[in-house]
């Protein structure tokens, strides 16, 4: 952690993202790889959003939630890659304080949206499996819109809670040993912090992870109870529709673990490049596995993708 002249929130100052270091001529290779990865995330998720929009048979609650997840993958990756790409070609690795705060807003809100979206999808599966006859009545268009608005409202509120902790801080350092603006490391640069400020990101983690996980757990416990009483065929069908969410949730937990541990544990023994990859694991992997979990794994989505790729008309009116 470096120090510098006193920084406060009213001055036009900057942070230095020191984790980039000096990568010499390799920066063009890394830039090319990351640009290709970012463009792939945008292209794959955008195509799947288009397919869901065009195919009227996919205008069901589950696929609307999936579409919302694809939108969030694009938004979340955009919070990291443009700044990261520009920093790879930079020699100073400076980022202004407002831009740093804006990036944190996008990254942390996107993470909250991801967990909350998975909670909404778990609830959708809970209703579909536990109340199949009332499903269309319970999960109507109005209810789905309210759930999505609730997911956004809750996620924005979570970041505003986090933002309230550091908006008043003055900073006595400006070097962040990471490739993006990390809240925990920025808090460490503050001239004076209270005990509650030091654990404020853990409060955010509780609201972002623990609360949605409680809702997800409730849904899957209820689903499990129904599966134990159902026929083997119905059980297999329920498991197949829930598996992508379980895999996605597990990957989210893994990426969150990497993020929090990398910020708090002295990982001097870990190679720098591996440490950087682990720190951005969630925004590196999650936006790309989501399309494969939901876009190419779910039968109806897979059929629509085949028709789209083969050039068949998919705009089917109900």
């Amino acid at each position: 952690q470096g120090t510098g002249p006193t920084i406060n929130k009213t001055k036009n100052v900057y942070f230095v993202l020191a984790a980039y270091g000096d990568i010499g001529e390799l920066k063009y290779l890394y830039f090319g790889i990351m640009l290709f990865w970012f463009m792939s995330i945008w292209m794959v998720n955008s195509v799947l959003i288009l397919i869901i929009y065009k195919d009227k048979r996919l205008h069901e609650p589950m696929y609307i939630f999936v579409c919302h997840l694809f939108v969030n993958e694009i938004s979340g990756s955009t919070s990291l890659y443009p700044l990261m790409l520009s920093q790879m070609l930079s020699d100073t690795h400076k980022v202004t304080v407002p831009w740093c705060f804006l990036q944190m807003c996008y990254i942390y809100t996107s993470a909250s949206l991801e967990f909350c979206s998975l909670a909404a999808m778990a609830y959708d599966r809970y209703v579909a499996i536990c109340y199949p006859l009332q499903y269309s009545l319970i999960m109507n268009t109005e209810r789905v819109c309210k759930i999505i608005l609730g997911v956004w409202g809750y996620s924005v509120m979570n970041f505003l809670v986090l933002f309230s902790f550091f908006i008043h801080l003055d900073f006595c350092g400006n070097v962040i040993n990471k490739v993006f603006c990390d809240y925990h490391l920025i808090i460490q640069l503050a001239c004076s912090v209270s005990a509650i400020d030091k654990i404020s990101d853990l409060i955010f983690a509780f609201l972002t992870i623990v609360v949605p996980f409680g809702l997800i757990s409730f849904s899957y416990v209820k689903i499990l109870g129904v599966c134990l009483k159902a026929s083997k065929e119905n059980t297999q069908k329920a498991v197949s529709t829930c598996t992508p969410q379980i895999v996605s949730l597990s990957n989210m937990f893994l990426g969150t673990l990497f993020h929090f541990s990398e910020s708090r544990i002295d990982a001097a023994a870990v190679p720098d490049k591996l440490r950087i990859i682990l720190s951005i694991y969630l925004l590196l992997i999650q936006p790309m596995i989501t399309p494969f979990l939901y876009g190419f794994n779910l039968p109806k989505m897979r059929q629509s993708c085949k028709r789209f790729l083969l050039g068949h008309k998919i705009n089917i009116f109900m």
Side-chain angles (χ1 to χ4, degrees):
Q1 172 179 320
T3 60
T6 300
I7 302 173
N8 61 57
K9 58 182 179 294
T10 62
K11 293 183 180 179
N12 184 23
V13 291
Y14 58 86
F15 291 116
V16 176
L17 300 175
Y20 287 98
D22 183 13
I23 54 179
E25 295 300 319
L26 287 176
K27 65 184 180 182
Y28 298 107
L29 173 63
Y30 295 150
F31 177 88
I33 293 172
M34 288 295 100
L35 179 61
F36 172 77
W37 192 255
F38 179 49
M39 292 176 64
S40 298
I41 290 172
W42 258 87
M43 181 181 69
V44 174
N45 283 281
S46 296
V47 167
L48 292 174
I49 291 170
L50 178 62
I51 289 173
I52 293 175
Y53 171 75
K54 295 287 288 183
D55 195 338
K56 304 302 180 181
R57 288 173 295 188
L58 298 179
H59 291 189
E60 300 175 2
M62 183 174 74
Y63 298 104
I64 294 175
F65 288 129
V66 167
C67 184
H68 179 255
L69 208 56
F70 293 151
V71 172
N72 188 52
E73 302 303 355
I74 292 175
S75 175
S77 60
T78 304
S79 68
L80 172 69
Y81 287 89
L83 179 61
M84 184 169 68
L85 290 169
S86 66
Q87 290 297 319
M88 284 180 176
L89 300 181
S90 171
D91 295 324
T92 58
H93 310 304
K94 295 178 180 179
V95 55
T96 62
V97 172
W99 188 262
C100 205
F101 287 172
L102 181 63
Q103 184 186 52
M104 283 196 298
C105 173
Y106 270 92
I107 288 179
Y108 287 91
T109 301
S110 176
S112 182
L113 281 168
E114 192 88 11
F115 278 107
C116 291
S117 295
L118 292 176
M121 294 169 70
Y123 173 73
D124 174 70
R125 292 299 85 201
Y126 156 69
V127 176
I129 294 170
C130 297
Y131 302 98
L133 299 180
Q134 293 84 31
Y135 177 74
S136 59
L137 184 64
I138 297 174
M139 296 301 294
N140 53 46
T141 303
E142 182 180 357
R143 174 67 63 85
V144 172
C145 291
K146 286 181 178 180
I147 290 175
I148 291 176
L149 287 174
V151 165
W152 272 92
Y154 183 78
S155 299
V156 171
M157 181 205 71
N158 284 349
F159 180 76
L160 291 178
V161 170
L162 190 69
F163 187 74
S164 67
F165 285 104
F166 68 76
I167 187 64
H168 65 281
L169 296 177
D170 293 334
F171 299 98
C172 294
N174 68 342
V175 178
I176 305 172
N177 192 26
K178 214 156 189 175
V179 295
F180 66 92
C181 297
D182 180 89
Y183 177 84
H184 180 72
L185 297 183
I186 289 179
I187 285 291
Q188 291 182 333
L189 298 175
C191 302
S192 176
V193 292
S194 64
I196 191 72
D197 289 331
K198 291 180 180 179
I199 63 169
S200 53
D201 61 331
L202 297 179
I203 296 174
F204 175 81
F206 175 83
L207 295 172
T208 297
I209 302 172
V210 179
V211 173
F213 181 70
L215 298 174
I216 293 170
S217 299
F218 171 82
S219 297
Y220 281 116
V221 167
K222 292 292 185 179
I223 291 172
L224 180 61
V226 171
C227 289
L228 292 176
K229 301 175 184 178
S231 64
K232 185 177 180 180
E233 182 182 352
N234 287 336
T235 298
Q236 289 177 343
K237 184 178 179 181
V239 170
S240 66
T241 59
C242 295
T243 297
Q245 296 171 36
I246 295 173
V247 174
S248 185
L249 184 65
S250 300
N251 190 66
M252 286 289 294
F253 273 120
L254 184 63
T256 305
L257 176 64
F258 286 153
H259 171 72
F260 279 97
S261 60
E262 196 273 336
S263 297
R264 287 169 169 77
I265 299 174
D266 184 8
V270 180
D272 289 342
K273 291 182 177 60
L274 177 59
R275 184 170 54 81
I276 291 172
I277 291 174
L278 292 178
S279 71
I280 61 173
Y281 173 87
L282 201 56
L283 290 170
L284 194 67
I285 303 300
Q286 188 69 18
M288 193 55 85
I289 70 168
T290 295
F292 287 93
L293 286 174
Y294 300 102
F296 308 119
N297 185 53
L298 299 177
K300 289 181 71 172
M301 277 293 297
R302 188 164 58 245
Q303 292 170 9
S304 291
C305 289
K306 287 180 181 179
R307 287 195 296 271
F308 180 83
L309 294 174
L310 293 175
H312 295 167
K313 187 177 181 181
I314 63 172
N315 191 12
I316 308 298
F317 293 93
M318 297 179 65

